[in-house]
Amino acid sequence: MGLQILTALDHARTQYYHFKAIIIAGMGLFTDSYDLFCITPIMKLIGRIYYDAQGGKPGVTPPAVVSAIVAIALAGTVIGQLVFGVLGDRVGRRRVYGFSLLLMIASSFGCGFSICRTRNCVLTSLCFFRFMLGIGIGGDYPLSATIMSEFANKRTRGSFIAAVFSMQGFGILASSGVTMAIAAAFKRATKPSSINPLNTPEAADLLWRIILMIGAIPAAVTFYWRITMPETARYTALVEQDVVKATNDMGKVLVDFDVRTFMETSQVSGGPRRPAPTYGLFSKQFMRRHGRNLFACAMAWFLVDIPYYSSTLFQSQIYEPWFPPPDKVNAYEEVYNVAKFQAIIAVASTIPGYFATVYFIERTGRRKIQLMGFFFMAVFLFALAGPYDRYWHDHTKGWFIVLYGLTFFFSNFGPNTTTFIVPAELFPARFRSTCHGISGASGKVGAIIGAVGFLWASQQRNKEHPSPGWKPGIGMTNALIILGGVCLIGVLHTYLFTPETKMRSLEENESGDSQHGHEDLENVNHGTFTSSAPSVHPLGGRSPLQSPL
């Protein structure tokens, strides 16, 4: 019966609950991108509000402060992915899924309130709540990917997980749209005589708080659905070893699944049960069976996040030559302009890249898309780097934007999406969430290197003319060449280590080419599972959580 229920999951037709699961899981990723990417225009506004104008130019948030606020959210994401990844395997995906969303909602509101209005207090409070927000966002990654992979059938699993991840693109677009709309509304409501490039109205302190707090609304809307959704059948059957409960849960979400008929036509043997595998995550047996795949996932995610986050979070730095000078626009106009360019990139390249992956992932395969994405990211980054100082900086701004946008298209129609999908398909059920969390945490370490490192490295090499508050760097040309080189390493890494997972069941993927076979599938196929059967912790040992919810 255990084998038959997994087969039923793999061959279930696509239906309403699959799309509902995409929305439930995707709203966490939507909130993730909204909160992480709205910080760019907000930092412009905070600089004008809390820092004094100098030399006839408006106040600017010091680079060290910008780096700290960005890095601390990403550091929280690393912790969240590791902690919630382990919890998802130890106590169940469903039991911690709602808590990660609740943490995101509370932290989003906390970022907006930020307790007080003095500079040091506001920045300290903002850092604290963005760290907590990062933990919630990080927790959502392994849980959303794992839940979607375990609910989906094998024919459309990749497309469904990619659809969940594509909500990031809509989060970026929503962040830009909300920022533009609110900035325009505040500008219209402000008397022209009370606003100029060097005079920021007091009401602007409310603007950035509203932008941050609105990010909690989409997540709050789906909170009830999260806490009422059933545990995935694969977790219940393979980790809790309760096939009867898994069958009943399937009947609640799959409308054409007849539980009574399935129970009558499936035999539940009463013979002895083969013990479940007991090796832990840090054992030699795990490394022999799954260590190569874990390295493949973690390193690929690390490599792609370096160029992706370096370019995405600081688009305004790259587009700065084409912005109106800060001393020529007021606070609301500057925020509007930064958000507008983010929206252009999202509509023209980011979202189309996600859609291309959703469409082609089951036709072309994960491995080929990841190889292609890394390769073309490298091509376009080198194209931007070669003539940057001599040509792009002073000429043909439109073509620069086109090439820059193509790097985002091929990152999303490439490794930025596939690195989210593949870790949810390769590992046994009792390690799936943990390994996805480890892979994602590795990626966010790369994001910190890319976002903070690239921000400083891209500064002009000429020590006599660095940007205010910055130290001389290696220059934009050299920084772009390094990012292109990272992408080439990603091509080589994918070719050598990344396996193909399309059109295969999760149990087939977990075994790969290993001679050991399907550890969880073998366990289900040879035994009888009821709610009283002990489950196995992903780190080894027996679980005290034997009764179903």
Side-chain angles (χ1 to χ4, degrees):
M1 179 172 165
L3 174 61
Q4 290 171 324
I5 194 173
L6 299 183
T7 303
L9 281 168
D10 284 329
H11 294 280
R13 70 177 179 86
T14 301
Q15 50 197 276
Y16 166 74
Y17 190 80
H18 289 120
F19 295 102
K20 182 180 178 181
I22 289 174
I23 299 299
I24 296 173
M27 275 303 126
L29 276 299
F30 180 99
T31 304
D32 157 25
S33 59
Y34 181 102
D35 288 314
L36 285 181
F37 295 110
C38 73
I39 200 65
T40 304
I42 285 175
M43 284 294 97
K44 300 287 186 182
L45 196 59
I46 286 178
R48 287 177 177 261
I49 296 170
Y50 292 103
Y51 291 89
D52 297 330
Q54 295 181 353
K57 295 184 178 181
V60 177
T61 307
V65 175
V66 176
S67 299
I69 290 177
V70 170
I72 200 165
L74 293 173
T77 305
V78 171
I79 295 173
Q81 287 175 320
L82 294 173
V83 172
F84 280 90
V86 172
L87 290 176
D89 285 332
R90 291 183 71 92
V91 303
R93 290 80 158 109
R94 174 186 177 273
R95 288 173 177 147
V96 294
Y97 203 28
F99 180 71
S100 68
L101 193 68
L102 189 62
L103 187 57
M104 279 192 281
I105 295 170
S107 299
S108 293
F109 278 112
C111 287
F113 284 112
S114 290
I115 301 176
C116 50
R117 294 186 60 189
T118 61
R119 184 173 70 192
N120 289 340
C121 185
V122 164
L123 293 176
T124 301
S125 176
L126 185 60
C127 284
F128 171 77
F129 284 113
R130 284 191 66 78
F131 177 76
M132 298 304 296
L133 176 65
I135 293 177
I137 289 172
D140 203 75
Y141 272 70
L143 297 174
S144 291
T146 300
I147 286 172
M148 194 69 247
S149 72
E150 293 180 344
F151 270 128
N153 60 60
K154 68 180 183 180
R155 298 186 310 278
T156 58
R157 184 180 62 240
S159 294
F160 283 168
I161 302 175
V164 169
F165 196 63
S166 72
M167 296 300 288
Q168 277 200 334
F170 293 102
I172 297 171
L173 183 60
S175 169
S176 301
V178 167
T179 301
M180 292 167 64
I182 298 178
F186 270 66
K187 181 183 176 182
R188 284 195 299 269
T190 303
K191 294 180 180 180
S193 59
S194 64
I195 183 172
N196 60 64
L198 298 181
N199 180 33
T200 301
E202 187 176 353
D205 195 42
L206 183 62
L207 170 60
W208 67 269
R209 298 172 187 272
I210 293 174
I211 293 171
L212 287 172
M213 288 191 286
I214 286 178
I217 295 176
V221 170
T222 59
F223 179 71
Y224 174 77
W225 286 350
R226 282 206 178 188
I227 62 175
T228 57
M229 70 187 303
E231 183 58 83
T232 67
R234 275 191 162 89
Y235 182 85
T236 305
L238 299 175
V239 181
E240 293 184 335
Q241 302 178 17
D242 188 348
V243 177
V244 174
K245 181 178 181 296
T247 304
N248 290 328
D249 285 344
M250 279 185 62
K252 296 176 183 178
V253 299
L254 302 180
V255 295
D256 59 349
F257 184 76
D258 190 331
V259 176
R260 178 176 297 180
T261 302
F262 182 84
M263 297 286 283
E264 289 175 353
T265 57
S266 302
Q267 283 193 336
V268 183
S269 66
R273 178 174 60 86
R274 172 175 290 193
T278 58
Y279 65 84
L281 179 66
F282 303 107
S283 65
K284 292 182 179 179
Q285 193 171 0
F286 173 87
M287 295 306 297
R288 185 171 67 252
R289 295 189 180 198
H290 309 293
R292 180 186 175 91
N293 286 339
L294 184 58
F295 172 74
C297 295
M299 182 56 69
W301 208 329
F302 173 82
L303 291 172
V304 70
D305 273 5
I306 293 176
Y308 183 79
Y309 276 83
S310 65
S311 301
T312 302
L313 285 176
F314 298 103
Q315 287 176 4
S316 62
Q317 300 293 332
I318 294 174
Y319 290 140
E320 203 167 51
W322 299 283
F323 278 141
D327 56 350
K328 300 295 183 182
V329 294
N330 60 49
Y332 300 139
E333 290 169 339
E334 184 178 24
V335 168
Y336 185 94
N337 288 335
V338 175
K340 180 174 68 175
F341 276 103
Q342 287 184 323
I344 291 171
I345 292 299
V347 171
S349 61
T350 303
I351 294 176
Y354 286 126
F355 283 170
T357 303
V358 171
Y359 182 80
F360 286 105
I361 191 75
E362 299 298 356
R363 294 169 171 80
T364 306
R366 290 78 161 139
R367 188 170 184 270
K368 290 181 180 178
I369 288 177
Q370 187 164 304
L371 277 168
M372 176 193 65
F374 268 127
F375 175 77
F376 280 108
M377 285 176 68
V379 168
F380 292 119
L381 285 169
F382 286 140
L384 291 172
Y388 182 85
D389 290 331
R390 294 188 300 255
Y391 188 76
W392 295 124
H393 195 270
D394 299 312
H395 303 83
T396 320
K397 301 168 186 177
W399 282 110
F400 178 90
I401 295 175
V402 169
L403 291 176
Y404 185 68
L406 285 171
T407 64
F408 281 97
F409 177 83
F410 281 104
S411 65
N412 292 311
F413 182 33
N416 188 48
T417 304
T418 56
T419 51
F420 181 79
I421 297 171
V422 174
E425 299 180 310
L426 277 179
F427 303 99
R430 65 196 185 97
F431 295 121
R432 188 167 293 135
S433 178
T434 301
C435 290
H436 195 287
I438 292 172
S439 301
S442 174
K444 288 304 174 284
V445 171
I448 294 172
I449 294 173
V452 178
F454 179 79
L455 180 65
W456 289 85
S458 62
Q459 298 305 305
Q460 297 179 18
R461 302 177 67 180
N462 189 341
K463 295 184 179 181
E464 297 179 359
H465 303 289
S467 301
W470 299 93
K471 296 182 179 180
I474 61 175
M476 184 68 76
T477 296
N478 291 330
L480 289 170
I481 290 174
I482 291 173
L483 294 179
V486 170
C487 292
L488 288 182
I489 296 173
V491 172
L492 180 63
H493 174 80
T494 300
Y495 180 78
L496 293 176
F497 295 102
T498 302
E500 183 53 72
T501 58
K502 73 169 183 173
M503 299 301 293
R504 303 177 67 190
S505 72
L506 295 179
E507 288 67 42
E508 290 173 326
N509 284 331
E510 79 181 45
S511 67
D513 297 325
S514 171
Q515 63 179 348
H516 301 289
H518 316 318
E519 65 171 45
D520 281 333
L521 184 59
E522 180 180 297
N523 180 52
V524 172
N525 196 26
H526 285 81
T528 302
F529 301 108
T530 65
S531 59
S532 62
S535 62
V536 180
H537 275 173
L539 302 184
R542 301 293 181 184
S543 170
L545 298 168
Q546 298 177 6
S547 59
L549 286 175

